[in-house]
Amino acid sequence: MHSRHRTPRNPEEDPMAGYHDDKDRLLRRLRRVEGQIRGLQRMVDTDTYCIDTLTQVSAATKALQSVALQLLDSHLAHCVHDAIAAGGAEADAKVAEATQAIARLMRA
Amino acid sequence: MHSRHRTPRNPEEDPMAGYHDDKDRLLRRLRRVEGQIRGLQRMVDTDTYCIDTLTQVSAATKALQSVALQLLDSHLAHCVHDAIAAGGAEADAKVAEATQAIARLMRA
Amino acid sequence: MHSRHRTPRNPEEDPMAGYHDDKDRLLRRLRRVEGQIRGLQRMVDTDTYCIDTLTQVSAATKALQSVALQLLDSHLAHCVHDAIAAGGAEADAKVAEATQAIARLMRA
Amino acid sequence: MHSRHRTPRNPEEDPMAGYHDDKDRLLRRLRRVEGQIRGLQRMVDTDTYCIDTLTQVSAATKALQSVALQLLDSHLAHCVHDAIAAGGAEADAKVAEATQAIARLMRA
């Protein structure tokens, strides 16, 4: 089983790691975003007024960013946290990796 | 039938208005985004490494923004264009409405 | 004199075009952003707590985006408006140019 | 002396903490942003074509976001790192605080 908050290289190290409690919340949020995207397809298909469609695109984008923030928060609280607590070079690598992910989100 | 590029108040004015050619391109893009969102659900469900999931969230966000830009471009080229060509107060209202939509997109 | 809302190629066409009334408002906003940036330099220089500095970076970014929206709104209301009212191929070029500027702002 | 990467409450704990090496790089970047903002004032003042001014606004926004990312990276590498290494409730508080700062940056 892959773990979310650790690199998949040593999954045996902590077989219980993973999405835990927030998995349900993430999946619920993603299903809601999926519903928004399908709603957008209906809006385009029925020639809904463009500005209303754009408002729904903004709402879906915002919902996706909330997913990103939840993922990031729990990544910092678990993966980065554990790497730092364990000490060593892994900690720096985890911080650099997280910063790069944040940069991708800000430029998205 | 509602028209995208005109306010729905006078759909008779131009019954042919709507998404035209770019409708297919918009629907294809939105179906791809829907696939990305479903992929994200699988990633969370199978405890994919969080940073990889975040990379996919960034990609889906970027794809949604391309949808927004396509909608906006054709809104300016049709709806705002026609309101200005027709003259009158409608033109100013359309420009203000478009700016507000852009503001929502930038803050999303 | 260069005009903001028209391409500089034919400035004689409308020698009065330009920033008009909103010039003062734009300049006031930009001076406030400049003050925020200088405030940031002091914060870094005096080792202000990083999170407080980041909050100020967010505020300055938001202020810059308001400048962008004001510029864009008046660009649509004047330059794009006039190109469309004049008719011809210039109108399409102006809309495409505006969309590209919006795309740069969204990706900034 | 305030420290950037630690809360100012216990500055004695690590009197050497602060911006260190990256202080110069941050200040250089912020001075460049200040120059861009002053350049924008000249562009508005001389009625530069609006789209060119918008391009410069995008560049300044991007430069500010690079400052944000550098601040965030070193905040995670020092402040959050040290809080986690020290253990205790402070670690969770630091992670929550960092996530909130990232949320503000993404919504800026």
Side-chain angles (χ1 to χ4, degrees):
Chain A
M1 170 190 156
H2 280 218
S3 120
R4 182 187 53 166
H5 297 305
R6 292 179 173 283
T7 39
R9 281 172 291 156
N10 305 310
E12 298 76 18
E13 196 187 309
D14 182 358
M16 286 299 104
Y19 288 88
H20 297 302
D21 326 324
D22 33 272
K23 198 171 189 168
D24 282 352
R25 201 152 68 100
L26 276 170
L27 287 174
R28 248 179 292 127
R29 282 181 163 189
L30 284 168
R31 276 192 289 265
R32 208 181 316 143
V33 176
E34 191 191 332
Q36 288 174 306
I37 305 299
R38 270 208 290 263
L40 279 166
Q41 293 172 41
R42 274 190 303 274
M43 292 176 98
V44 169
D45 208 41
T46 56
D47 294 299
T48 301
Y49 182 50
C50 173
I51 292 292
D52 297 332
T53 309
L54 274 171
T55 301
Q56 177 74 352
V57 174
S58 294
T61 305
K62 213 167 257 187
L64 258 181
Q65 288 184 330
S66 297
V67 168
L69 284 169
Q70 194 194 326
L71 280 166
L72 201 58
D73 182 61
S74 97
H75 180 67
L76 294 174
H78 297 283
C79 171
V80 177
H81 178 283
D82 293 356
I84 289 170
E90 181 81 356
D92 291 346
K94 283 293 175 214
V95 165
E97 187 189 52
T99 307
Q100 282 154 22
I102 296 163
R104 280 193 296 273
L105 288 170
M106 284 178 64
R107 276 163 208 149
Chain B
M1 168 190 156
H2 280 217
S3 118
R4 183 187 52 165
H5 298 304
R6 294 177 172 283
T7 40
R9 283 172 291 155
N10 305 310
E12 299 76 20
E13 197 187 310
D14 183 357
M16 287 300 106
Y19 289 87
H20 296 302
D21 326 324
D22 33 272
K23 197 172 189 167
D24 282 351
R25 200 152 68 102
L26 275 170
L27 287 174
R28 247 179 293 127
R29 281 181 163 188
L30 284 168
R31 276 192 289 264
R32 208 181 318 143
V33 176
E34 191 192 331
Q36 288 174 306
I37 304 299
R38 270 209 290 263
L40 278 166
Q41 293 171 41
R42 274 190 303 275
M43 290 176 98
V44 169
D45 208 41
T46 56
D47 295 299
T48 301
Y49 182 50
C50 173
I51 293 292
D52 297 333
T53 310
L54 275 171
T55 301
Q56 177 74 352
V57 173
S58 295
T61 306
K62 212 166 257 185
L64 259 181
Q65 288 183 330
S66 297
V67 168
L69 285 168
Q70 195 194 326
L71 280 165
L72 201 58
D73 182 62
S74 96
H75 180 68
L76 294 174
H78 297 283
C79 171
V80 177
H81 178 283
D82 293 357
I84 290 170
E90 180 81 356
D92 292 346
K94 283 293 175 216
V95 164
E97 186 188 53
T99 307
Q100 282 155 22
I102 295 163
R104 280 194 295 274
L105 288 170
M106 283 178 64
R107 276 163 207 149
Chain C
M1 169 189 156
H2 280 220
S3 119
R4 182 188 52 163
H5 299 303
R6 294 178 172 283
T7 40
R9 283 171 291 154
N10 304 310
E12 299 76 20
E13 198 186 309
D14 183 357
M16 286 299 105
Y19 288 88
H20 297 302
D21 326 325
D22 34 272
K23 197 170 188 167
D24 283 350
R25 201 152 66 102
L26 276 170
L27 286 174
R28 247 179 294 127
R29 281 180 164 191
L30 284 167
R31 277 192 289 264
R32 207 180 318 142
V33 176
E34 191 191 330
Q36 288 174 305
I37 304 299
R38 269 209 289 263
L40 278 165
Q41 292 171 40
R42 275 190 302 275
M43 291 176 97
V44 168
D45 208 40
T46 56
D47 294 300
T48 301
Y49 182 50
C50 173
I51 293 292
D52 297 332
T53 310
L54 276 170
T55 301
Q56 178 74 352
V57 173
S58 295
T61 306
K62 213 166 257 185
L64 260 181
Q65 289 184 329
S66 297
V67 168
L69 284 168
Q70 195 194 326
L71 280 166
L72 201 58
D73 182 62
S74 97
H75 180 67
L76 293 174
H78 298 282
C79 171
V80 177
H81 178 283
D82 293 356
I84 289 171
E90 180 81 357
D92 292 346
K94 282 292 175 218
V95 165
E97 187 188 54
T99 307
Q100 281 154 22
I102 296 164
R104 280 193 295 274
L105 288 170
M106 283 177 65
R107 275 163 209 149
Chain D
M1 170 189 158
H2 280 218
S3 122
R4 183 186 53 166
H5 298 303
R6 294 178 173 283
T7 41
R9 282 172 290 155
N10 305 309
E12 299 75 19
E13 196 187 310
D14 182 357
M16 287 300 106
Y19 289 87
H20 295 304
D21 325 324
D22 34 273
K23 198 171 189 169
D24 282 350
R25 200 152 67 101
L26 276 169
L27 286 174
R28 249 179 291 127
R29 282 181 163 190
L30 284 167
R31 277 192 289 263
R32 208 180 317 142
V33 176
E34 191 191 332
Q36 287 174 306
I37 304 299
R38 269 208 290 263
L40 278 166
Q41 292 171 42
R42 275 189 303 275
M43 291 176 97
V44 169
D45 208 41
T46 56
D47 295 300
T48 301
Y49 181 51
C50 173
I51 293 291
D52 297 332
T53 310
L54 276 170
T55 301
Q56 177 74 352
V57 174
S58 295
T61 306
K62 213 167 258 186
L64 259 181
Q65 288 184 330
S66 297
V67 169
L69 284 169
Q70 194 194 326
L71 280 166
L72 201 58
D73 182 61
S74 96
H75 181 67
L76 294 174
H78 297 282
C79 171
V80 177
H81 178 282
D82 292 357
I84 289 170
E90 181 82 356
D92 291 347
K94 283 294 174 214
V95 165
E97 187 189 53
T99 307
Q100 282 155 22
I102 296 164
R104 280 193 297 274
L105 288 170
M106 284 178 63
R107 275 164 210 149

